[in-house]
């Protein structure tokens, strides 16, 4: 028993909450207790919203985004530039770019990165669909917005290879000093990249 | 919009998850995405368990514990010592003591501590019911297992005063070095209390 106490429903609740990222057994107990104390204001609305979202939200067959509609709201938005695709690992990255409101093209969500260690190969990712979209004739530029990790960069190289000869311009995000970042806290790799890509002022 | 993205159900879900203790906006987004990816394994079971727990779990009118039954399983457990009451601030503290399996009496949950700052007075806590239980004739000892904070100790003093003249033995938890704790990391107050309450070996 997770709580050491009897009530099965509480133990099940704590067990499920503990499976959320960022919550361990202890914070799951706190969250369960908080929910039980805010039954009408939080617990029941959360139960309903979870059920509703589980029913309504599905992946977009075109880009992999999560939305109530398929194709998703971004793919069907006529104000967005259909000639530029931004390739991201995960829907969380798409959300981050949308929050920044800096990109007005469309997206392609790979659903992860290649990883020899975790046994993730090209067929496990949404890469074939990306190549098909690239060949569709509409796309002129593909921006690889993948994480600057070993797996992210391996995936970027692989995708670049697969797109070679398609005549599409492939770019990646710039490396450098984060805005607001202090040099003293940056790693050597970032400093080297920022120095190499210096811009005249 | 929390996610910067459109789908209302996702934004509502993130907003509700962010109200859980231990989850901020960023971890709420991660949790929402994790749930959407584990629809059948986690999201729907969590929705059902939340609704079920909200329906079944209620506070025990006797002690303030949360359980499917009222009076709760601890209050009705005939194997537990009815002559000893352990007074705790919160159900989380009751769970902690039950996990430790070191107390075989019954509990009384105050539902908080007195706090001039937060405007919590004696009438906001489950204190009148405690005094009534103490006068019931069944209880011979009351253990105040309140947090060793200013508010916790203020509450302990107030409860002790209210129980004065009832002929009931009132005790509090011992202060000292936590088991497994290193002296180097302890505050001065704990060290002073541990020294003062030293035991011959």
């Amino acid at each position: 028993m997770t709580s050491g106490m009897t009530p099965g429903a509480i133990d099940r609740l704590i067990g499920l909450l503990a499976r959320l990222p960022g919550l361990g057994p202890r914070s799951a107990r706190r969250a369960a207790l908080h929910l039980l104390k805010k039954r009408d204001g939080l617990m029941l609305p959360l139960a309903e919203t979870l059920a509703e979202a589980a029913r309504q939200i599905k992946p977009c067959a075109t880009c992999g985004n999560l939305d109530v509609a398929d194709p998703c709201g971004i793919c069907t938005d006529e104000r967005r530039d259909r000639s530029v695709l931004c390739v991201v690992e995960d829907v969380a990255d798409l959300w981050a770019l949308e929050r920044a409101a800096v990109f007005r093209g469309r997206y392609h969500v790979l659903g992860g990165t290649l990883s020899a260690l975790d046994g993730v190969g090209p067929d496990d990712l949404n890469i074939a669909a990306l190549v098909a979209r690239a060949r569709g004739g509409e796309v002129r530029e593909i921006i690889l917005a993948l994480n600057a990790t070993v797996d992210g960069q391996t995936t970027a190289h692989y995708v670049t290879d697969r797109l070679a000869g398609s005549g599409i311009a492939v770019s990646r995000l710039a490396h450098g000093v984060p805005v607001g970042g202090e040099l003293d806290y940056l790693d050597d790799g970032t400093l080297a990249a920022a120095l190499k890509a210096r811009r005249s002022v």
Side-chain angles (χ1 to χ4, degrees), chain A:
Chain A
M1 286 180 297
T2 319
S3 68
M5 264 288 306
T6 324
I10 297 185
D11 272 346
R12 274 199 302 284
L13 180 59
I14 293 171
L16 289 167
L17 287 171
R19 288 174 54 196
L20 292 178
L23 288 184
R26 191 184 149 74
S27 44
R29 283 197 299 268
R30 277 182 64 213
L33 204 51
H34 186 79
L35 285 162
L36 286 163
K37 286 177 186 168
K38 300 201 181 292
R39 189 180 169 281
D40 294 329
L42 185 55
M43 196 175 194
L44 289 174
L46 182 57
E48 280 160 31
T49 305
L50 279 167
E52 185 195 348
R55 198 173 56 241
Q56 291 184 351
I57 308 290
K58 45 194 171 299
C60 171
T62 307
C63 76
N65 184 22
L66 290 167
D67 199 353
V68 291
D70 179 15
C72 74
I74 292 179
C75 282
T76 53
D77 185 345
E78 287 302 327
R79 291 163 305 179
R80 299 187 78 115
D81 188 348
R82 301 179 77 83
S83 69
V84 191
L85 278 191
C86 182
V87 178
V88 292
E89 278 180 41
D90 198 275
V91 176
D93 303 324
L94 184 159
W95 287 352
L97 284 160
E98 285 298 292
R99 276 199 305 282
V102 286
F103 176 68
R104 295 302 297 167
R106 291 188 297 159
Y107 291 94
H108 194 87
V109 182
L110 292 182
T113 48
L114 297 175
S115 169
L117 212 59
D118 298 331
V120 180
D123 295 341
D124 301 312
L125 301 179
N126 200 10
I127 292 179
L130 173 63
V131 174
R133 285 180 86 181
R135 286 187 185 143
E138 209 171 44
V139 177
R140 289 198 316 271
E141 182 181 358
I142 288 180
I143 303 168
L144 300 175
L146 301 174
N147 290 337
T149 56
V150 172
D151 284 345
Q153 295 309 301
T154 305
T155 310
H157 281 126
Y158 179 83
V159 170
T160 307
D161 280 352
R162 288 284 299 268
L163 295 170
S166 62
I168 290 173
V170 180
S171 58
R172 65 157 178 80
L173 296 185
H175 291 313
V177 182
V179 176
E182 300 183 41
L183 294 197
D184 198 18
Y185 290 92
L186 287 178
D187 61 294
D188 298 351
T190 303
L191 282 175
L195 201 65
K196 201 172 161 191
R198 65 189 177 279
R199 308 270 297 264
S200 73
V201 290

PDB file of all heavy atoms in Angstrom, chain A residues 169-199:
ATOM      1  N   ALA A 169      15.948  23.356 -49.296  1.00  0.00           N
ATOM      2  CA  ALA A 169      16.933  23.960 -48.410  1.00  0.00           C
ATOM      3  C   ALA A 169      16.722  23.422 -47.002  1.00  0.00           C
ATOM      4  O   ALA A 169      15.629  23.533 -46.459  1.00  0.00           O
ATOM      5  CB  ALA A 169      16.789  25.478 -48.421  1.00  0.00           C
ATOM      6  N   VAL A 170      17.764  22.789 -46.429  1.00  0.00           N
ATOM      7  CA  VAL A 170      17.666  22.255 -45.066  1.00  0.00           C
ATOM      8  C   VAL A 170      18.552  23.094 -44.148  1.00  0.00           C
ATOM      9  O   VAL A 170      19.722  23.305 -44.449  1.00  0.00           O
ATOM     10  CB  VAL A 170      18.102  20.776 -45.020  1.00  0.00           C
ATOM     11  CG1 VAL A 170      17.994  20.241 -43.597  1.00  0.00           C
ATOM     12  CG2 VAL A 170      17.253  19.942 -45.963  1.00  0.00           C
ATOM     13  N   SER A 171      17.997  23.609 -43.053  1.00  0.00           N
ATOM     14  CA  SER A 171      18.783  24.403 -42.113  1.00  0.00           C
ATOM     15  C   SER A 171      18.591  23.869 -40.704  1.00  0.00           C
ATOM     16  O   SER A 171      17.707  23.054 -40.450  1.00  0.00           O
ATOM     17  CB  SER A 171      18.367  25.872 -42.176  1.00  0.00           C
ATOM     18  OG  SER A 171      16.988  25.988 -41.879  1.00  0.00           O
ATOM     19  N   ARG A 172      19.445  24.305 -39.797  1.00  0.00           N
ATOM     20  CA  ARG A 172      19.265  23.952 -38.390  1.00  0.00           C
ATOM     21  C   ARG A 172      19.289  25.220 -37.567  1.00  0.00           C
ATOM     22  O   ARG A 172      19.730  26.279 -38.035  1.00  0.00           O
ATOM     23  CB  ARG A 172      20.340  22.971 -37.924  1.00  0.00           C
ATOM     24  CG  ARG A 172      21.747  23.548 -37.950  1.00  0.00           C
ATOM     25  CD  ARG A 172      22.686  22.810 -37.005  1.00  0.00           C
ATOM     26  NE  ARG A 172      24.031  23.342 -37.076  1.00  0.00           N
ATOM     27  CZ  ARG A 172      24.440  24.452 -36.462  1.00  0.00           C
ATOM     28  NH1 ARG A 172      23.595  25.158 -35.741  1.00  0.00           N
ATOM     29  NH2 ARG A 172      25.683  24.875 -36.585  1.00  0.00           N
ATOM     30  N   LEU A 173      18.841  25.151 -36.322  1.00  0.00           N
ATOM     31  CA  LEU A 173      18.856  26.309 -35.428  1.00  0.00           C
ATOM     32  C   LEU A 173      20.301  26.710 -35.163  1.00  0.00           C
ATOM     33  O   LEU A 173      21.194  25.857 -35.147  1.00  0.00           O
ATOM     34  CB  LEU A 173      18.176  25.974 -34.092  1.00  0.00           C
ATOM     35  CG  LEU A 173      16.688  25.633 -34.152  1.00  0.00           C
ATOM     36  CD1 LEU A 173      16.145  25.442 -32.737  1.00  0.00           C
ATOM     37  CD2 LEU A 173      15.901  26.721 -34.859  1.00  0.00           C
ATOM     38  N   ALA A 174      20.546  28.005 -34.953  1.00  0.00           N
ATOM     39  CA  ALA A 174      21.884  28.485 -34.636  1.00  0.00           C
ATOM     40  C   ALA A 174      22.276  28.069 -33.228  1.00  0.00           C
ATOM     41  O   ALA A 174      21.437  27.977 -32.336  1.00  0.00           O
ATOM     42  CB  ALA A 174      21.917  30.009 -34.755  1.00  0.00           C
ATOM     43  N   HIS A 175      23.588  27.780 -33.044  1.00  0.00           N
ATOM     44  CA  HIS A 175      24.120  27.599 -31.693  1.00  0.00           C
ATOM     45  C   HIS A 175      24.677  28.926 -31.214  1.00  0.00           C
ATOM     46  O   HIS A 175      25.118  29.741 -32.018  1.00  0.00           O
ATOM     47  CB  HIS A 175      25.266  26.577 -31.691  1.00  0.00           C
ATOM     48  CG  HIS A 175      24.805  25.183 -31.961  1.00  0.00           C
ATOM     49  ND1 HIS A 175      23.726  24.626 -31.324  1.00  0.00           N
ATOM     50  CD2 HIS A 175      25.281  24.237 -32.811  1.00  0.00           C
ATOM     51  CE1 HIS A 175      23.564  23.395 -31.757  1.00  0.00           C
ATOM     52  NE2 HIS A 175      24.477  23.131 -32.668  1.00  0.00           N
ATOM     53  N   GLY A 176      24.702  29.164 -29.923  1.00  0.00           N
ATOM     54  CA  GLY A 176      25.291  30.393 -29.401  1.00  0.00           C
ATOM     55  C   GLY A 176      24.896  30.637 -27.973  1.00  0.00           C
ATOM     56  O   GLY A 176      24.353  29.749 -27.304  1.00  0.00           O
ATOM     57  N   VAL A 177      25.194  31.842 -27.527  1.00  0.00           N
ATOM     58  CA  VAL A 177      24.895  32.226 -26.143  1.00  0.00           C
ATOM     59  C   VAL A 177      23.382  32.446 -26.019  1.00  0.00           C
ATOM     60  O   VAL A 177      22.820  33.206 -26.783  1.00  0.00           O
ATOM     61  CB  VAL A 177      25.635  33.525 -25.780  1.00  0.00           C
ATOM     62  CG1 VAL A 177      25.375  33.903 -24.332  1.00  0.00           C
ATOM     63  CG2 VAL A 177      27.127  33.376 -26.044  1.00  0.00           C
ATOM     64  N   PRO A 178      22.699  31.770 -25.077  1.00  0.00           N
ATOM     65  CA  PRO A 178      21.270  32.025 -24.882  1.00  0.00           C
ATOM     66  C   PRO A 178      21.056  33.489 -24.506  1.00  0.00           C
ATOM     67  O   PRO A 178      21.884  34.066 -23.798  1.00  0.00           O
ATOM     68  CB  PRO A 178      20.887  31.122 -23.699  1.00  0.00           C
ATOM     69  CG  PRO A 178      21.989  30.139 -23.561  1.00  0.00           C
ATOM     70  CD  PRO A 178      23.223  30.790 -24.113  1.00  0.00           C
ATOM     71  N   VAL A 179      19.961  34.088 -24.980  1.00  0.00           N
ATOM     72  CA  VAL A 179      19.663  35.476 -24.634  1.00  0.00           C
ATOM     73  C   VAL A 179      19.441  35.560 -23.124  1.00  0.00           C
ATOM     74  O   VAL A 179      18.656  34.796 -22.554  1.00  0.00           O
ATOM     75  CB  VAL A 179      18.420  35.972 -25.392  1.00  0.00           C
ATOM     76  CG1 VAL A 179      18.069  37.393 -24.954  1.00  0.00           C
ATOM     77  CG2 VAL A 179      18.666  35.919 -26.885  1.00  0.00           C
ATOM     78  N   GLY A 180      20.155  36.468 -22.458  1.00  0.00           N
ATOM     79  CA  GLY A 180      20.078  36.569 -21.002  1.00  0.00           C
ATOM     80  C   GLY A 180      21.055  35.651 -20.296  1.00  0.00           C
ATOM     81  O   GLY A 180      21.150  35.663 -19.074  1.00  0.00           O
ATOM     82  N   GLY A 181      21.797  34.831 -21.069  1.00  0.00           N
ATOM     83  CA  GLY A 181      22.719  33.870 -20.465  1.00  0.00           C
ATOM     84  C   GLY A 181      24.031  34.517 -20.055  1.00  0.00           C
ATOM     85  O   GLY A 181      24.460  35.496 -20.665  1.00  0.00           O
ATOM     86  N   GLU A 182      24.662  34.003 -19.027  1.00  0.00           N
ATOM     87  CA  GLU A 182      25.953  34.518 -18.576  1.00  0.00           C
ATOM     88  C   GLU A 182      27.060  33.595 -19.050  1.00  0.00           C
ATOM     89  O   GLU A 182      26.969  32.376 -18.869  1.00  0.00           O
ATOM     90  CB  GLU A 182      25.957  34.625 -17.046  1.00  0.00           C
ATOM     91  CG  GLU A 182      24.880  35.545 -16.516  1.00  0.00           C
ATOM     92  CD  GLU A 182      24.939  35.691 -15.010  1.00  0.00           C
ATOM     93  OE1 GLU A 182      26.058  35.795 -14.475  1.00  0.00           O
ATOM     94  OE2 GLU A 182      23.871  35.692 -14.370  1.00  0.00           O
ATOM     95  N   LEU A 183      28.104  34.184 -19.629  1.00  0.00           N
ATOM     96  CA  LEU A 183      29.204  33.399 -20.204  1.00  0.00           C
ATOM     97  C   LEU A 183      29.794  32.438 -19.191  1.00  0.00           C
ATOM     98  O   LEU A 183      30.146  31.301 -19.509  1.00  0.00           O
ATOM     99  CB  LEU A 183      30.319  34.318 -20.705  1.00  0.00           C
ATOM    100  CG  LEU A 183      29.984  35.233 -21.893  1.00  0.00           C
ATOM    101  CD1 LEU A 183      31.280  35.736 -22.516  1.00  0.00           C
ATOM    102  CD2 LEU A 183      29.164  34.497 -22.932  1.00  0.00           C
ATOM    103  N   ASP A 184      29.893  32.913 -17.943  1.00  0.00           N
ATOM    104  CA  ASP A 184      30.515  32.162 -16.870  1.00  0.00           C
ATOM    105  C   ASP A 184      29.853  30.795 -16.656  1.00  0.00           C
ATOM    106  O   ASP A 184      30.487  29.854 -16.185  1.00  0.00           O
ATOM    107  CB  ASP A 184      30.388  33.008 -15.587  1.00  0.00           C
ATOM    108  CG  ASP A 184      31.344  32.549 -14.528  1.00  0.00           C
ATOM    109  OD1 ASP A 184      32.303  31.846 -14.890  1.00  0.00           O
ATOM    110  OD2 ASP A 184      31.137  32.894 -13.357  1.00  0.00           O
ATOM    111  N   TYR A 185      28.570  30.699 -16.994  1.00  0.00           N
ATOM    112  CA  TYR A 185      27.824  29.467 -16.737  1.00  0.00           C
ATOM    113  C   TYR A 185      27.711  28.575 -17.971  1.00  0.00           C
ATOM    114  O   TYR A 185      27.102  27.519 -17.899  1.00  0.00           O
ATOM    115  CB  TYR A 185      26.423  29.810 -16.218  1.00  0.00           C
ATOM    116  CG  TYR A 185      26.438  30.386 -14.822  1.00  0.00           C
ATOM    117  CD1 TYR A 185      26.495  31.754 -14.607  1.00  0.00           C
ATOM    118  CD2 TYR A 185      26.432  29.533 -13.716  1.00  0.00           C
ATOM    119  CE1 TYR A 185      26.536  32.279 -13.326  1.00  0.00           C
ATOM    120  CE2 TYR A 185      26.471  30.051 -12.435  1.00  0.00           C
ATOM    121  CZ  TYR A 185      26.521  31.426 -12.242  1.00  0.00           C
ATOM    122  OH  TYR A 185      26.565  31.935 -10.977  1.00  0.00           O
ATOM    123  N   LEU A 186      28.248  29.035 -19.105  1.00  0.00           N
ATOM    124  CA  LEU A 186      28.082  28.244 -20.325  1.00  0.00           C
ATOM    125  C   LEU A 186      29.157  27.176 -20.449  1.00  0.00           C
ATOM    126  O   LEU A 186      30.289  27.357 -20.003  1.00  0.00           O
ATOM    127  CB  LEU A 186      28.126  29.153 -21.549  1.00  0.00           C
ATOM    128  CG  LEU A 186      26.877  30.023 -21.737  1.00  0.00           C
ATOM    129  CD1 LEU A 186      27.064  30.920 -22.954  1.00  0.00           C
ATOM    130  CD2 LEU A 186      25.657  29.150 -21.912  1.00  0.00           C
ATOM    131  N   ASP A 187      28.805  26.075 -21.120  1.00  0.00           N
ATOM    132  CA  ASP A 187      29.778  25.014 -21.347  1.00  0.00           C
ATOM    133  C   ASP A 187      30.725  25.406 -22.477  1.00  0.00           C
ATOM    134  O   ASP A 187      30.443  26.306 -23.269  1.00  0.00           O
ATOM    135  CB  ASP A 187      29.038  23.728 -21.687  1.00  0.00           C
ATOM    136  CG  ASP A 187      28.230  23.897 -22.952  1.00  0.00           C
ATOM    137  OD1 ASP A 187      27.268  24.698 -22.939  1.00  0.00           O
ATOM    138  OD2 ASP A 187      28.577  23.255 -23.956  1.00  0.00           O
ATOM    139  N   ASP A 188      31.848  24.693 -22.555  1.00  0.00           N
ATOM    140  CA  ASP A 188      32.871  25.006 -23.548  1.00  0.00           C
ATOM    141  C   ASP A 188      32.337  24.880 -24.974  1.00  0.00           C
ATOM    142  O   ASP A 188      32.670  25.688 -25.840  1.00  0.00           O
ATOM    143  CB  ASP A 188      34.071  24.055 -23.378  1.00  0.00           C
ATOM    144  CG  ASP A 188      34.715  24.217 -22.015  1.00  0.00           C
ATOM    145  OD1 ASP A 188      34.334  25.169 -21.303  1.00  0.00           O
ATOM    146  OD2 ASP A 188      35.593  23.413 -21.679  1.00  0.00           O
ATOM    147  N   GLY A 189      31.522  23.872 -25.220  1.00  0.00           N
ATOM    148  CA  GLY A 189      30.994  23.654 -26.573  1.00  0.00           C
ATOM    149  C   GLY A 189      30.174  24.832 -27.057  1.00  0.00           C
ATOM    150  O   GLY A 189      30.307  25.276 -28.207  1.00  0.00           O
ATOM    151  N   THR A 190      29.340  25.380 -26.185  1.00  0.00           N
ATOM    152  CA  THR A 190      28.516  26.527 -26.563  1.00  0.00           C
ATOM    153  C   THR A 190      29.384  27.747 -26.815  1.00  0.00           C
ATOM    154  O   THR A 190      29.180  28.474 -27.795  1.00  0.00           O
ATOM    155  CB  THR A 190      27.501  26.828 -25.437  1.00  0.00           C
ATOM    156  OG1 THR A 190      26.737  25.653 -25.199  1.00  0.00           O
ATOM    157  CG2 THR A 190      26.572  27.964 -25.825  1.00  0.00           C
ATOM    158  N   LEU A 191      30.379  27.960 -25.935  1.00  0.00           N
ATOM    159  CA  LEU A 191      31.273  29.103 -26.105  1.00  0.00           C
ATOM    160  C   LEU A 191      32.032  29.002 -27.428  1.00  0.00           C
ATOM    161  O   LEU A 191      32.153  29.985 -28.167  1.00  0.00           O
ATOM    162  CB  LEU A 191      32.267  29.172 -24.938  1.00  0.00           C
ATOM    163  CG  LEU A 191      31.702  29.753 -23.636  1.00  0.00           C
ATOM    164  CD1 LEU A 191      32.734  29.662 -22.525  1.00  0.00           C
ATOM    165  CD2 LEU A 191      31.277  31.204 -23.843  1.00  0.00           C
ATOM    166  N   ALA A 192      32.506  27.782 -27.732  1.00  0.00           N
ATOM    167  CA  ALA A 192      33.240  27.581 -28.986  1.00  0.00           C
ATOM    168  C   ALA A 192      32.340  27.863 -30.181  1.00  0.00           C
ATOM    169  O   ALA A 192      32.730  28.546 -31.135  1.00  0.00           O
ATOM    170  CB  ALA A 192      33.774  26.150 -29.040  1.00  0.00           C
ATOM    171  N   ALA A 193      31.111  27.380 -30.136  1.00  0.00           N
ATOM    172  CA  ALA A 193      30.173  27.579 -31.244  1.00  0.00           C
ATOM    173  C   ALA A 193      29.823  29.057 -31.402  1.00  0.00           C
ATOM    174  O   ALA A 193      29.733  29.576 -32.524  1.00  0.00           O
ATOM    175  CB  ALA A 193      28.898  26.761 -31.001  1.00  0.00           C
ATOM    176  N   ALA A 194      29.652  29.748 -30.259  1.00  0.00           N
ATOM    177  CA  ALA A 194      29.276  31.157 -30.301  1.00  0.00           C
ATOM    178  C   ALA A 194      30.428  31.995 -30.875  1.00  0.00           C
ATOM    179  O   ALA A 194      30.199  32.952 -31.626  1.00  0.00           O
ATOM    180  CB  ALA A 194      28.921  31.649 -28.897  1.00  0.00           C
ATOM    181  N   LEU A 195      31.664  31.605 -30.514  1.00  0.00           N
ATOM    182  CA  LEU A 195      32.825  32.337 -30.995  1.00  0.00           C
ATOM    183  C   LEU A 195      33.008  32.124 -32.496  1.00  0.00           C
ATOM    184  O   LEU A 195      33.251  33.070 -33.257  1.00  0.00           O
ATOM    185  CB  LEU A 195      34.067  31.839 -30.232  1.00  0.00           C
ATOM    186  CG  LEU A 195      35.272  32.766 -30.210  1.00  0.00           C
ATOM    187  CD1 LEU A 195      34.933  34.037 -29.447  1.00  0.00           C
ATOM    188  CD2 LEU A 195      36.456  32.066 -29.543  1.00  0.00           C
ATOM    189  N   LYS A 196      32.842  30.896 -32.922  1.00  0.00           N
ATOM    190  CA  LYS A 196      33.030  30.538 -34.325  1.00  0.00           C
ATOM    191  C   LYS A 196      31.982  31.238 -35.200  1.00  0.00           C
ATOM    192  O   LYS A 196      32.277  31.655 -36.315  1.00  0.00           O
ATOM    193  CB  LYS A 196      32.893  29.011 -34.439  1.00  0.00           C
ATOM    194  CG  LYS A 196      33.525  28.418 -35.673  1.00  0.00           C
ATOM    195  CD  LYS A 196      33.500  26.895 -35.602  1.00  0.00           C
ATOM    196  CE  LYS A 196      33.697  26.284 -36.981  1.00  0.00           C
ATOM    197  NZ  LYS A 196      33.427  24.842 -36.958  1.00  0.00           N
ATOM    198  N   ALA A 197      30.763  31.353 -34.686  1.00  0.00           N
ATOM    199  CA  ALA A 197      29.676  31.938 -35.473  1.00  0.00           C
ATOM    200  C   ALA A 197      29.487  33.407 -35.148  1.00  0.00           C
ATOM    201  O   ALA A 197      28.404  33.947 -35.294  1.00  0.00           O
ATOM    202  CB  ALA A 197      28.379  31.156 -35.204  1.00  0.00           C
ATOM    203  N   ARG A 198      30.572  34.077 -34.694  1.00  0.00           N
ATOM    204  CA  ARG A 198      30.446  35.486 -34.291  1.00  0.00           C
ATOM    205  C   ARG A 198      29.964  36.347 -35.451  1.00  0.00           C
ATOM    206  O   ARG A 198      30.238  36.053 -36.618  1.00  0.00           O
ATOM    207  CB  ARG A 198      31.795  35.973 -33.739  1.00  0.00           C
ATOM    208  CG  ARG A 198      32.926  36.004 -34.742  1.00  0.00           C
ATOM    209  CD  ARG A 198      34.255  36.274 -34.041  1.00  0.00           C
ATOM    210  NE  ARG A 198      35.380  36.251 -34.980  1.00  0.00           N
ATOM    211  CZ  ARG A 198      35.956  35.130 -35.408  1.00  0.00           C
ATOM    212  NH1 ARG A 198      35.526  33.939 -34.994  1.00  0.00           N
ATOM    213  NH2 ARG A 198      36.966  35.189 -36.262  1.00  0.00           N
ATOM    214  N   ARG A 199      29.251  37.412 -35.108  1.00  0.00           N
ATOM    215  CA  ARG A 199      28.687  38.302 -36.128  1.00  0.00           C
ATOM    216  C   ARG A 199      29.306  39.681 -35.971  1.00  0.00           C
ATOM    217  O   ARG A 199      29.502  40.158 -34.863  1.00  0.00           O
ATOM    218  CB  ARG A 199      27.178  38.426 -35.926  1.00  0.00           C
ATOM    219  CG  ARG A 199      26.454  37.080 -35.842  1.00  0.00           C
ATOM    220  CD  ARG A 199      26.024  36.638 -37.201  1.00  0.00           C
ATOM    221  NE  ARG A 199      25.058  37.577 -37.757  1.00  0.00           N
ATOM    222  CZ  ARG A 199      23.735  37.408 -37.691  1.00  0.00           C
ATOM    223  NH1 ARG A 199      23.241  36.362 -37.087  1.00  0.00           N
ATOM    224  NH2 ARG A 199      22.935  38.291 -38.240  1.00  0.00           N
TER     225      ARG A 199
END
